[in-house]
Amino acid sequence: MKNNSVKLTTTAIFLALAILLSIVENSLPPLIPFMPYAKVGIANIVILTSILLLGKGEAYLIVVMRCVINAIYQGNISAFAFSFTAGTVSYIVSVALLSLKAFSLVGISSISAITHNFVQVAVASLFTGSAAVFAYLPYLTLIGGAVGAFIGAISHYIIKKYPIETLNGSADAKKKNNADNKTDVNDTSDPA
């Protein structure tokens, strides 16, 4: 029961953090003036980290809820089509690449960011009925790859500082964490 409570609470905290980061980022001026919708995607740090720390299901829940809540908060339901579609596809790509174990977190994040940008341009093309928006793709690919690497590096640092076993809650994880901290597994006394 305790493990489920910890996981649920951590998922809620990660969701709140992802929403907060999205709101902050949306309030900032555009990085590229002629592409006002091009954003860094700092909330993707939370998504990538949550895939590894919480699990695939919880991470996808965060993706969906962040898209829904941001669309409602912005009062722009059409933005949901862009963010949900691109978020879902880039999430699937991230999970698939993670399962291959052939790429670093930085590489996975870069590929995922490029995928996200491609899908958003494709959705924009469907909305506008024009392929002209694909002219932005070379710029978005370069920017997405670089920003994705940055997001991946931050996620890697977080994973190193916050071990996956922490949320596992298993006896083996507790033994490992306690051994790392050089404490007795059965010691429940207050360290203070």
Side-chain angles (χ1 to χ4, degrees), residues 30-121:
L31 290 174
I32 305 165
F34 68 92
M35 293 192 304
Y37 295 106
K39 301 285 184 182
V40 174
I42 54 177
N44 292 320
I45 296 167
V46 177
I47 303 303
L48 192 55
T49 304
S50 67
I51 293 170
L52 293 169
L53 292 179
L54 299 172
K56 298 171 197 164
E58 290 80 1
Y60 188 63
L61 177 65
I62 293 169
V63 169
V64 173
M65 292 306 298
R66 179 180 64 118
C67 292
V68 169
I69 292 169
N70 281 338
I72 292 169
Y73 178 78
Q74 293 175 10
N76 186 355
I77 301 303
S78 64
F80 177 77
F82 289 88
S83 63
F84 176 74
T85 308
T88 297
V89 173
S90 62
Y91 165 82
I92 292 167
V93 167
S94 293
V95 169
L97 292 175
L98 279 166
S99 69
L100 292 176
K101 299 182 189 217
F103 297 93
S104 70
L105 211 49
V106 171
I108 290 168
S109 182
S110 289
I111 294 167
S112 180
I114 292 167
T115 302
H116 190 275
N117 288 339
F118 178 81
V119 172
Q120 282 199 326
V121 169

Side-chain angles (χ1 to χ4, degrees), residues 113-138:
I114 292 167
T115 302
H116 190 275
N117 288 339
F118 178 81
V119 172
Q120 282 199 326
V121 169
V123 171
S125 177
L126 290 172
F127 266 72
T128 62
S130 171
V133 293
F134 281 98
Y136 291 115
L137 204 53

